[in-house]
Amino acid sequence: MASDLRLTVLGSATPYPAAGNPCSGYLVSGGGARVWVDAGSGTLGALQRYARLDELDAVWISHLHADHTADLLTAYYGLLYADVHREAPLPLYGPPGIADRVAAFLTHGDRRSPVERAFDVRELSDGHGARVGGLDLSAREVAHGMPAFALRVEHAGNSLVYSGDSAPCAALTELADGCGTLLCEADGDSADGVHHSPEEAGETAAAAGAGRLIVTHVGRAIEPGDAVTRAASRFAGPVAYAAPGAVFPVD
């Protein structure tokens, strides 16, 4: 069976949106499924160029920092109080405590906001696996100083791995082993224990034997082109930048 696995970049800015570039968010599609991966500020608007909330099959959140989750708040209002109609709550995969974190932002009185009416919350753990449509999803806990999970998506023999936010670590390298595409953050300018530098992104891609590297979540002190060049100094395969609106077939 041919694979139609595809990555669409909704945004890649950090730690706040840039003009024309939302924070971290991606649409992963294939096997008849569409998954919104990370919901950073501004990504819900970009998402609607490709899919409505009632056309999604799941949301997957790597960790609970606001530049990866903030648009869950407005998605909640869309799912419950606007023109979005679903037969069941939208499956939401995320770190432990995600429902209470979202509810804490949304609740304005004594009664907790009904987050579970909008989202079918499924908490991640190291090694967690799930099937969404024709996509196989698996998670590993990675090094970010808080609960954080990298994602591997597989369909018809092709694979995409997303680091989320993470320092280089064995769990990420193992998850990315032999993947076709590694989408790896490159926020740090040097080893800081919670992020990759561009060079470290290249090293992780090389260690994993990835077919291609896409650098994302590039820190504001680094030009995207420089991040690509620096990553390519440590990785012999193709390297690209996760520019907003870019679409990458995964093969």
Side-chain angles (χ1 to χ4, degrees):
M1 178 175 62
S3 174
D4 58 350
L5 187 58
R6 185 177 301 266
L7 167 71
T8 301
V9 180
L10 307 176
S12 58
T14 181
Y16 62 94
N21 189 7
C23 286
S24 292
Y26 314 90
L27 178 64
V28 176
S29 57
R34 286 176 278 199
V35 181
W36 181 15
V37 176
D38 277 350
S41 303
T43 59
L44 179 55
L47 173 70
Q48 291 172 83
R49 297 190 182 103
Y50 312 98
R52 290 169 47 94
L53 286 169
D54 49 10
E55 295 174 328
L56 291 177
D57 296 279
V59 183
W60 197 97
I61 299 296
S62 64
H63 66 291
L64 296 181
H65 280 150
D67 61 333
H68 296 256
T69 62
D71 272 16
L72 290 178
L73 307 181
T74 45
Y76 165 88
Y77 288 114
L79 288 164
L80 292 188
Y81 305 118
D83 58 343
V84 178
H85 304 286
R86 298 184 61 95
E87 294 183 0
L90 177 59
L92 170 61
Y93 297 87
I98 188 170
D100 288 341
R101 175 67 66 88
V102 172
F105 279 103
L106 293 169
T107 300
H108 303 294
D110 295 334
R111 185 177 179 183
R112 180 182 182 276
S113 290
V115 170
E116 289 80 5
R117 281 181 50 205
F119 299 108
D120 177 6
V121 179
R122 307 174 187 192
E123 293 189 344
L124 296 172
S125 59
D126 190 41
H128 186 282
R131 188 165 178 85
V132 177
L135 302 178
D136 290 307
L137 279 57
S138 54
R140 288 297 307 272
E141 188 164 7
V142 291
H144 193 50
M146 63 185 298
F149 296 87
L151 168 67
R152 184 174 181 123
V153 183
E154 297 182 313
H155 174 57
N158 292 324
S159 54
L160 164 71
V161 172
Y162 169 48
S163 66
D165 279 9
S166 173
C169 61
L172 176 58
T173 303
E174 291 165 5
L175 186 70
D177 183 46
C179 69
T181 296
L182 173 61
L183 175 66
C184 189
E185 65 115 296
D187 190 21
D189 203 27
S190 61
D192 62 6
V194 292
H195 291 290
H196 278 72
S197 68
E199 289 83 359
E200 289 168 334
E203 290 168 359
T204 293
R212 170 175 59 182
L213 171 63
I214 302 170
V215 291
T216 191
H217 201 272
V218 173
R220 286 178 172 262
I222 309 171
E223 289 295 326
D226 291 340
V228 169
T229 299
R230 289 168 55 181
S233 72
R234 307 293 175 88
F235 176 62
V239 182
Y241 167 62
V247 179
F248 297 94
V250 177
D251 51 25

